[in-house]
Amino acid sequence: MAAKSRSNRPAVLADVAELAGVSAMTVSRVLNSPELVAAETRARVQAAMRQVDYHPNAAARRLVTGRSGLLGVVSIDTTLYGPATMLYAIERAARQSEFTVSIASIGILTRSSIEEAVDRLREQSVDGIVIVAPHESAAEGLSHLPEGLPVVAVDAGENVPVPVVMVDQRAGAVRATRHLLSLGHRTVWHVAGPADWNDATARIAGWREVLEAEGRPVPEMLRGDWSSRSGYQLGRRLAADPSVTAIFVANDQMALGVLRALREAGRSVPGEVSVVGFDDVPESAYYWPPLTTVRQDLAEVGRRAFELLLERMAGGDDGRHLIEPELVLRDSTGAAPRD
C-alpha cells in the first residue's frame, strides 16, 4: 500500500505501519523486541522505515523497553580478513535492526583486557555484548564475566561458558584435505596458523583427522603467522621437496606466499603441486592460478551472532552454533602427477 502524502512533517510510526502493511504494534515490536517478529516481516518494516526516513526516538524507546538500543562488541585490533570482516558483519546486522554498536578494540585477548573492555562498555549502558574471541587465551576471560550480562562469543574455542557462533573450521579443513586426496595425492602437507588461534587449532585437527582415518602419512606441520610472507618462507621449504604434491594452507594470505614460492622454484600449480587455501578472500579468485579455498560465510556469522544476542537479552538460547563452510573449486588444484 502506498503511503499517504506527509507534506514536510517528520515520519511517525503510523506512516511506517501503513507502508509496510502491518499494525502499529508490529512496528513497535520491531523497534523494541525484534526477536519476537518474523524475519520477513521485520525486513519489510525496516525497509518501510528507510523509505519514509523514520527515526525512532531513542529516549522514548528506553523508557518503554528499559533498553538503551546500544550493543557492545569486544574485538582484537586487527586487519586480518576473518576477524575484521566478522566485526563488520556484526555491526551491519545490528544496524539493520536499528541498534547502535559501540566497539572496544583490544590488543590481545586476556582475562584482564576482556574485563576492562566489558567494563568500558557497561559504563555506556549497553544492552548486551558480542565478544569476538579467536584466541585460545580468551577462554579465561569468558569464564569471568559479570552475572546477568547478556554475552555471545564469536569464534571462541571449546568449553566456554557463553553461547558461541562460529564457522565449523574443522569441517572446512576436512573438506579441503579430502578434496586433495580425492585427486590422487598420496598425502597432504599443511601450513598452519599461529598456535594461540582457535581457527588454526581446529583446521589442524580436521587435516590430521582425515589423513589418519585414511591411513595416509601425516607430514610435519609447518607453522605460519597468517601473513603472505610466512607463507612464502614456508613455501620455499615445501617447494624444495619433490615429494610434496598437495598443500592445504590455513588461510588465503599464506597461500598467496606459497604460490609465489612454488612459481619461483619452477613447480607448476596445479600440474606438479595442488594448493588449497581457507577464507575465500575477495582477491583469491584473482591469484595466479585462481585459488581453490574454503569459504566462510562471515555475513551469516554476524547475523546469527546478533540474533543470538537478542535471544540472550530475552532470557533464552544457549550452546554452540556452527555454520557450515563451503569448498570453492578453482584452478589451483588438479590430479596428482604421475610417478
Side-chain angles (χ1 to χ4, degrees):
M1 180 183 297
K4 296 177 181 178
S5 173
R6 296 185 288 107
S7 184
N8 290 321
R9 68 171 174 81
V12 296
L13 188 143
D15 298 319
V16 177
E18 181 180 6
L19 182 60
V22 299
S23 68
M25 180 63 73
T26 297
V27 177
S28 179
R29 285 198 184 104
V30 170
L31 290 169
N32 301 316
S33 299
E35 68 276 11
L36 301 179
V37 183
E40 182 179 348
T41 302
R42 190 166 67 232
R44 192 164 72 247
V45 170
Q46 290 164 352
M49 289 178 187
R50 290 190 292 271
Q51 186 170 338
V52 300
D53 195 26
Y54 174 73
H55 297 281
N57 185 299
R61 180 197 290 185
R62 184 164 188 174
L63 286 173
V64 172
T65 66
R67 294 179 180 175
S68 65
L70 178 65
L71 301 180
V73 178
V74 177
S75 179
I76 56 171
D77 185 10
T78 180
T79 58
L80 287 171
Y81 175 78
T85 306
M86 219 173 290
L87 180 61
Y88 171 75
I90 295 165
E91 183 181 20
R92 183 171 182 269
R95 190 168 62 246
Q96 287 176 338
S97 290
E98 305 294 328
F99 279 85
T100 302
V101 174
S102 179
I103 299 172
S105 296
I106 54 183
I108 185 169
L109 290 166
T110 62
R111 175 178 174 178
S112 61
S113 66
I114 290 174
E115 288 177 345
E116 290 172 6
V118 168
D119 287 344
R120 292 203 307 270
L121 292 171
R122 293 180 74 200
E123 290 172 359
Q124 301 174 44
S125 300
V126 296
D127 295 322
I129 297 176
V130 177
I131 300 178
V132 182
H135 291 173
E136 294 176 0
S137 56
E140 185 180 5
L142 294 174
S143 299
H144 295 84
L145 296 169
E147 290 188 15
L149 176 66
V151 173
V152 169
V154 173
D155 220 16
E158 302 284 345
N159 303 318
V160 294
V162 298
V164 176
V165 178
M166 64 181 298
V167 172
D168 192 339
Q169 306 291 336
R170 187 200 62 80
V174 165
R175 290 191 175 102
T177 308
R178 283 180 176 163
H179 170 63
L180 290 166
L181 294 182
S182 74
L183 295 171
H185 298 278
R186 187 175 70 93
T187 190
V188 177
W189 276 256
H190 184 43
V191 176
D196 187 44
W197 284 70
N198 297 316
D199 290 354
T201 299
R203 292 168 195 176
I204 292 167
W207 161 74
R208 182 173 283 120
E209 173 187 316
V210 173
L211 295 182
E212 291 177 347
E214 295 290 330
R216 305 300 181 91
V218 181
E220 176 190 1
M221 179 190 68
L222 303 180
R223 181 79 73 175
D225 63 7
W226 297 133
S227 71
S228 298
R229 179 179 180 179
S230 71
Y232 173 72
Q233 292 169 339
L234 297 173
R236 292 181 65 183
R237 290 171 54 184
L238 292 169
D241 184 347
S243 69
V244 174
T245 67
I247 308 170
F248 166 44
V249 188
N251 77 334
D252 290 350
Q253 281 90 348
M254 290 194 298
L256 177 61
V258 169
L259 289 173
R260 175 177 171 178
L262 291 169
R263 177 179 289 272
E264 288 183 355
R267 305 286 302 277
S268 69
V269 178
E272 295 178 62
V273 184
S274 289
V275 178
V276 177
F278 206 112
D279 281 339
D280 193 30
V281 300
E283 298 82 6
S284 63
Y286 301 96
Y287 289 2
W288 187 255
L291 183 66
T292 293
T293 187
V294 178
R295 175 182 296 156
Q296 305 190 76
D297 190 345
L298 299 178
E300 177 67 6
V301 172
R303 186 187 68 80
R304 291 275 291 275
F306 171 70
E307 290 182 350
L308 181 57
L309 185 59
L310 292 182
E311 292 179 28
R312 292 295 292 166
M313 288 158 54
D317 210 299
D318 209 339
R320 197 172 188 81
H321 300 255
L322 294 178
I323 296 172
E324 288 297 311
E326 175 190 359
L327 181 66
V328 180
L329 300 179
R330 297 196 180 102
D331 297 340
S332 66
T333 53
R338 295 183 179 181
D339 295 334

